[in-house]
């Protein structure tokens, strides 16, 4: 009997536990790997969170998302609304940068259910005397929550009950069925069968530059006068040039001392001359390692002045965080346990067989290097943060352990939540996505090698509509010191203009490496590498030479800044152009009345004519409607009549067109 009683109590307890969550909440849009990793959004901007919410029977259900910052603070609660097929949506704004924890709740709204059912009975002419009494009881039950009610709602309920008690049947019905009463009860009525999602969903709210930025990459050593080694002061003198082009992030490859052992010469030859500067990625020498600056560039004080001068012009300095060393790096003597050694006692050079990098050695992250190396690398980042750097482009993060990145980025962002990390990882898709999950703010992408219409459409559809849109932000670099794409090697000036427009208008974050503006694409024969690359030698740049595309860069960057639709990467929509060499897409932001259309000729060698449809349906307009349009390249306005139109784009004239739609009642 005792055993039966014990089993009964256990079964009863289990029933009570299960009964607590009567309403089903599942399929949360921002839940990454079951809550293992945070989603990413921008602080202060509205974003939509969705979930499936439903229950048994036909009761009216309500749902809400609640968010609280990890370090405490007031609760943010946003009620969700039904969309379709038990899918619910809530428009959330997280007011501060940092880590937020969201939970989802749902409940049965008994008064709303009563109100809906009673309305049907009234419509059917039924006697509702008992229903009116039930309604009064529901309001009284809400008042019984008085310890939970604030003074104003409590007084409103007391006044309502007094009015109902003194009213005749017809007036009582009018009071109980009024929209005002329904609104009061929606605000303060009991949350019957309050259910909560079983897990917490985490979102990292970041600053706007995490999702919307324009990067310009240069090597300071090549910006000196008359072929001399450049300095930080030389860069300060040219900040206006970069800002005039419209960039807000100025990014430097490594600025540290460069080793001499096995130094590479021009075009990556194995033997360097006495004046050859070496690769900036061979970090470390007698003058220091990752916390030092190359003496030919200047001093740390000079660097600090550069950071301050850039900030005055509305730009940030981004640095390369490359976890690799020259054979002369001080760490090798100070911490030999951080490196791999060969059986003959020599240090192991970096290699990616059959490639070998004789001027570089890599650290390892486990064995005796854990945790001392991890702490040192974190402190390197914190060192540069203290010198005003809050943006880091991380070299080859896919060759370092995921746990290290997850720990390091979280630790830095706990101290400095506005820090941004860009993952320079051109590798397998799942690896790239994992890096984004473990904390990287932005990610390099396959855009550099996507040229055809089908490739671009499929890839961008994946990035903007699948789950990765909640945690992975691509940065579309059109070129880098390491990558001279085949397309740019053979397409001439039209190809550079095309890739500029695609990079800058398909993504929120994009970048170019200097030389792009003068259409530099001379390759090492048969390779995606630059001939006479400044990775191995100083270069002199003439950015005013004939054929430059600086006007295009200024124009595109201005359009990006002036039109709100450009700030949300996920609002991209592809439309049909009747030509496989023309990419046609739009960026739509109804909340800010911002609607842009883009036509881009993907063929740098030939003019393309095509038909296209104006997406009148986006505004609820019929096919025969007219819409005002502004040509953002010429500045003139006119009207498109009807849905179907034709256009031609000549790459020698301009390979792209950009339009602003002004729907009826919209625009200036």
């Amino acid at each position: 009997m005792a055993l039966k009683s014990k089993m009964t109590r256990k079964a009863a307890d289990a029933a009570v536990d299960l009964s607590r969550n009567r309403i089903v909440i599942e399929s949360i849009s921002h839940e990454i790997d079951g809550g293992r990793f945070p989603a990413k959004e921008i602080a202060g901007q509205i974003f939509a969170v969705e979930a499936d919410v439903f229950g048994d029977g036909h009761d009216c259900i309500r749902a809400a998302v609640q968010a609280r910052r990890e370090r405490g603070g007031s609760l943010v609660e946003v009620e969700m609304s039904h969309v379709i097929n038990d899918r619910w949506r809530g428009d959330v704004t997280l007011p501060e940068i940092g880590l937020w924890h969201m939970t989802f709740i749902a409940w049965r709204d008994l008064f709303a259910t009563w109100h809906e059912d009673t309305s049907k009975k009234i419509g059917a002419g039924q006697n509702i005397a008992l229903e009116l009494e039930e309604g009064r009881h529901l309001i009284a039950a809400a008042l019984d929550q008085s310890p939970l009610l604030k003074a104003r709602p409590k007084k409103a309920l007391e006044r309502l009950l007094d009015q109902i008690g003194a009213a005749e049947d017809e007036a009582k019905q009018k009071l109980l069925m009024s929209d005002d009463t329904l609104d009061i009860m929606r605000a303060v009525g009991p949350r019957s069968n309050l259910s909560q999602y079983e897990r917490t969903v985490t979102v990292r709210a970041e600053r706007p530059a995490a999702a919307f930025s324009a990067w310009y990459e240069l090597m300071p050593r090549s910006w000196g006068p008359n072929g001399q080694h450049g300095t930080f002061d030389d860069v300060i003198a040219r900040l206006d040039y970069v800002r005039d082009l419209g960039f807000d992030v100025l990014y430097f490859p490594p600025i540290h001392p460069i080793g001499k052992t096995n130094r590479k010469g021009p075009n990556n030859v194995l033997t360097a001359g006495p004046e050859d500067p070496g690769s900036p990625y061979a970090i470390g020498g007698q003058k220091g390692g990752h916390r030092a600056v190359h003496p030919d560039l200047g001093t740390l004080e000079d660097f600090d002045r550069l950071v301050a001068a850039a900030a005055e012009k509305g730009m940030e300095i981004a640095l390369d965080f490359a976890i690799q060393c020259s054979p002369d790096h001080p760490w090798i003597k100070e911490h030999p346990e951080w490196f791999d050694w060969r059986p003959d006692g020599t240090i192991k050079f970096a290699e990616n067989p059959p490639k070998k990098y004789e001027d570089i050695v890599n650290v390892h992250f486990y064995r005796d290097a854990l945790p001392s190396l991890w702490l040192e690398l974190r402190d390197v980042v914190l060192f540069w943060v203290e010198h005003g750097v809050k943006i880091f482009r991380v070299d080859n993060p896919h060759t370092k352990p995921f746990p290290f990145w997850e720990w390091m980025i979280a630790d830095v962002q706990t101290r400095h939540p506005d820090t941004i990390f860009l993952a320079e990882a051109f590798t397998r898709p799942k690896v790239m996505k994992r890096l984004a999950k473990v904390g990287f703010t932005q990610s390099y992408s396959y855009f550099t090698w996507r040229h055809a219409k089908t490739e671009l459409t499929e890839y961008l559809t994946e990035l903007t509509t699948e789950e990765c849109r909640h945690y992975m932000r691509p940065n579309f670099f059109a070129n880098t010191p390491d990558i001279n794409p085949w397309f740019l090697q053979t397409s001439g000036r039209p190809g550079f203009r095309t890739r500029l427009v695609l990079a800058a208008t398909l993504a929120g974050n994009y970048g170019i490496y200097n030389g792009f503006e003068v259409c530099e694409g001379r390759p090492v024969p048969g390779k995606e590498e630059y001939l006479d690359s400044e990775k191995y030698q100083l270069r002199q740049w003439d950015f005013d030479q004939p054929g430059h595309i600086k006007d295009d860069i200024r124009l595109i960057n201005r359009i990006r800044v002036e039109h709100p639709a450009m700030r949300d990467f996920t609002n991209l929509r592809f439309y049909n152009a009747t030509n496989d060499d023309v990419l046609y897409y739009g960026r739509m932001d109804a909340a800010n009345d911002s609607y842009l259309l883009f036509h881009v000729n993907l063929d740098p060698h030939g003019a393309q004519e095509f038909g296209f449809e104006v997406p009148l349906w986006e505004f609820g307009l019929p096919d025969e409607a007219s819409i005002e349009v502004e040509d953002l390249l010429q500045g003139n306005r006119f009207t498109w009549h009807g849905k179907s139109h034709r256009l031609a784009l000549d790459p020698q004239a301009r390979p792209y067109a950009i339009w602003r739609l002004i729907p009826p009642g919209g625009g200036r």
Side-chain angles (χ1 to χ4, degrees):
M1 197 67 181
L3 179 62
K4 182 178 179 181
S5 175
K6 185 175 180 180
M7 292 177 66
T8 300
R9 287 198 304 273
K10 186 175 181 181
D13 290 343
V16 171
D17 287 342
L18 279 175
S19 73
R20 291 192 177 97
N21 287 319
R22 178 175 178 178
I23 300 169
V24 177
I25 306 172
E26 62 185 17
S27 300
I28 309 297
S29 62
H30 282 61
E31 186 174 45
I32 311 302
D33 289 2
R36 170 71 173 82
F37 299 107
K40 300 185 179 81
E41 295 292 347
I42 298 301
Q45 293 184 11
I46 297 173
F47 65 96
V49 175
E50 294 186 354
D52 291 344
V53 182
F54 56 93
D56 57 278
H58 304 287
D59 291 337
C60 293
I61 290 175
R62 291 168 63 195
V65 54
Q66 297 177 329
R68 191 186 299 275
R69 195 173 176 197
E70 186 177 51
R71 294 186 177 182
S74 59
L75 184 72
V76 175
E77 180 173 302
V78 174
E79 183 152 355
M80 305 178 78
S81 57
H82 180 257
V83 181
I84 190 172
N85 193 25
D86 293 321
R87 191 67 173 168
W88 291 62
R89 167 181 171 150
D91 290 333
V92 180
T93 302
L94 302 178
E96 299 174 359
I97 294 172
L99 207 59
W100 291 74
H101 297 292
M102 297 194 307
T103 188
F104 296 79
I105 58 174
W107 62 96
R108 294 163 63 234
D109 188 330
L110 299 183
F111 188 83
T113 302
W114 171 87
H115 190 279
E116 184 177 287
D117 291 346
T118 304
S119 295
K120 294 176 182 177
K121 293 177 181 179
I122 292 172
Q126 297 178 3
N127 186 309
I128 59 165
L130 282 176
E131 279 76 6
L132 295 180
E133 187 61 18
E134 288 173 348
R136 188 188 69 79
H137 278 292
L138 288 170
I139 295 173
L143 187 59
D144 287 343
Q145 301 179 107
S146 54
L148 304 175
L149 291 177
K150 294 181 180 179
R152 176 180 281 181
K154 182 179 179 182
K155 288 181 179 179
L157 286 177
E158 290 173 340
R159 184 166 56 252
L160 180 59
L161 280 174
D162 289 342
Q163 291 173 336
I164 291 170
E168 298 297 330
D169 286 349
E170 186 175 342
K172 183 182 297 184
Q173 175 181 321
K174 187 175 181 180
L175 281 168
L176 283 165
M177 299 302 295
S178 72
D179 290 340
D180 288 344
T181 299
L182 188 60
D183 288 343
I184 291 173
M185 289 297 288
R186 281 184 65 86
V188 300
R191 294 180 169 183
S192 182
N193 296 116
L194 182 65
S195 303
Q196 182 169 325
Y197 187 57
E198 60 190 6
R199 292 186 292 269
T200 296
V201 176
T202 307
V203 175
R204 181 171 294 282
E206 298 177 306
R207 58 189 176 107
F212 187 77
S213 58
W215 293 49
Y216 185 87
E217 179 178 3
L218 65 86
M219 292 193 183
R221 70 187 192 181
S222 286
W223 281 47
N226 304 316
Q228 300 174 28
H229 194 291
T231 67
F232 295 132
D233 284 339
D234 292 325
V235 177
I236 291 175
R238 298 295 304 278
L239 287 175
D240 284 337
Y241 170 80
V242 180
R243 193 68 187 109
D244 176 65
L245 290 176
F247 293 98
D248 46 44
V249 177
L250 179 56
Y251 155 53
F252 301 151
I255 56 172
H256 314 298
I258 297 171
K260 293 185 177 181
T261 299
N262 298 333
R263 177 174 286 191
K264 297 293 186 71
N267 292 308
N268 201 23
V269 298
L270 296 179
T271 303
E275 302 301 321
D276 289 331
S279 168
Y281 288 92
I283 298 171
Q286 291 184 351
K287 299 294 184 179
H290 282 73
R291 302 192 201 196
V293 297
H294 196 295
D296 289 348
L297 291 173
T299 65
L300 272 173
E301 291 74 19
D302 297 332
F303 177 78
D304 292 340
R305 286 192 298 104
L306 169 58
V307 172
E312 289 177 1
K313 297 182 182 298
M315 291 187 292
E316 289 189 64
I317 299 298
L319 288 186
D320 208 314
F321 182 44
I323 304 178
Q324 56 200 44
C325 306
S326 87
D328 305 326
H329 198 293
W331 285 346
I332 295 175
K333 289 184 178 180
E334 296 168 0
H335 295 281
E337 73 277 10
W338 292 354
F339 298 88
D340 288 317
W341 300 84
R342 299 176 68 85
D344 64 356
T346 59
I347 198 165
K348 186 175 182 179
F349 298 127
E351 56 183 337
N352 182 14
K355 292 183 178 180
K356 208 168 192 176
Y357 305 94
E358 295 86 353
D359 58 339
I360 293 172
V361 298
N362 286 325
V363 298
H364 68 75
F365 284 80
Y366 285 83
R367 305 195 299 274
D368 293 338
L370 178 64
S372 58
L373 173 67
W374 293 35
L375 292 167
E376 172 63 19
L377 293 173
R378 178 207 61 185
D379 290 347
V380 166
V381 173
L382 292 175
F383 173 85
W384 291 106
V385 169
E386 293 302 319
H387 282 272
V389 177
K390 291 295 185 72
I391 303 179
F392 296 89
R393 178 269 201 188
V394 178
D395 190 63
N396 285 325
H398 57 292
T399 62
K400 287 80 180 174
F402 297 129
F404 166 73
W405 293 123
E406 184 174 358
W407 169 82
M408 192 277 286
I409 292 173
D411 192 279
V412 171
Q413 290 184 334
T414 297
R415 303 161 190 260
H416 304 280
D418 56 344
T419 310
I420 291 171
F421 294 91
L422 166 61
E424 186 264 346
F426 298 110
T427 182
R428 303 185 305 281
K430 288 185 173 63
V431 175
M432 294 168 72
K433 290 178 179 178
R434 182 72 178 194
L435 288 167
K437 290 177 183 179
V438 301
F440 278 94
T441 320
Q442 300 176 11
S443 307
Y444 275 38
S445 73
Y446 299 137
F447 166 76
T448 314
W449 298 277
R450 298 293 187 265
H451 304 126
K453 182 175 181 174
T454 53
E455 293 175 333
L456 288 164
T457 302
E458 290 173 3
Y459 187 46
L460 268 297
T461 299
E462 173 193 343
L463 294 177
T464 58
T465 65
E466 296 185 8
E467 186 194 51
C468 59
R469 73 189 187 278
H470 295 308
Y471 61 83
M472 184 177 181
R473 296 194 192 96
N475 191 320
F476 280 8
F477 260 83
N479 67 327
T480 77
D482 297 305
I483 302 171
N484 180 14
W486 298 114
F487 183 87
L488 295 181
Q489 295 179 21
T490 60
S491 61
R493 185 171 184 266
F496 280 82
R497 299 175 88 191
T498 291
R499 295 302 289 179
L500 166 72
V501 173
L502 292 175
T505 63
L506 287 172
N509 300 300
Y510 94 103
I512 63 170
Y513 157 54
N514 74 193
F516 188 93
E517 65 263 54
V518 292
C519 306
E520 170 63 34
R522 295 177 304 122
V524 174
K527 296 183 178 181
E528 282 193 318
E529 297 178 13
Y530 288 97
L531 188 65
D532 300 328
S533 168
E534 63 178 328
K535 287 195 300 180
Y536 308 105
Q537 64 188 72
L538 303 184
R539 287 285 302 270
Q540 278 190 280
W541 295 101
D542 176 8
F543 296 124
D544 294 319
Q545 63 184 270
H548 67 75
I549 61 169
K550 292 188 293 184
D551 288 343
D552 295 272
I553 295 171
R554 293 187 189 97
L555 172 66
I556 298 303
N557 280 336
R558 177 175 58 78
I559 290 173
R560 279 170 49 90
V561 171
E562 291 180 353
H563 296 274
M566 299 303 299
R567 294 182 174 272
D568 180 6
F569 169 61
T570 63
N571 69 16
L572 177 69
R573 304 174 192 179
F574 289 101
Y575 301 113
N576 182 43
T578 60
N579 186 320
D580 288 342
D581 285 320
V582 175
L583 191 68
Y584 175 31
Y585 54 98
R587 304 289 295 273
M588 307 284 181
D589 181 356
N592 290 291
D593 194 28
S594 180
Y595 310 98
L596 302 186
L597 294 179
F598 303 84
H599 293 109
V600 183
N601 182 355
L602 303 178
D603 177 6
H605 305 294
Q608 300 295 328
E609 185 177 350
F610 56 97
F612 69 96
E613 293 181 343
V614 181
L616 298 171
W617 59 88
E618 299 282 12
F619 309 101
L621 298 174
D623 291 353
E624 65 275 10
S626 298
I627 192 167
E628 189 177 358
V629 60
E630 179 183 4
D631 182 344
L632 291 183
L633 307 184
Q634 304 297 333
N636 57 309
R637 286 193 186 191
F638 51 92
T639 301
W640 275 335
H641 299 286
K643 182 175 67 172
S644 299
H645 296 267
R646 293 195 68 78
L647 186 68
L649 291 174
D650 183 350
Q652 299 303 322
R654 194 188 295 268
Y656 59 91
I658 305 175
W659 320 96
R660 179 171 78 100
L661 297 183
I662 308 169
R668 294 189 298 274

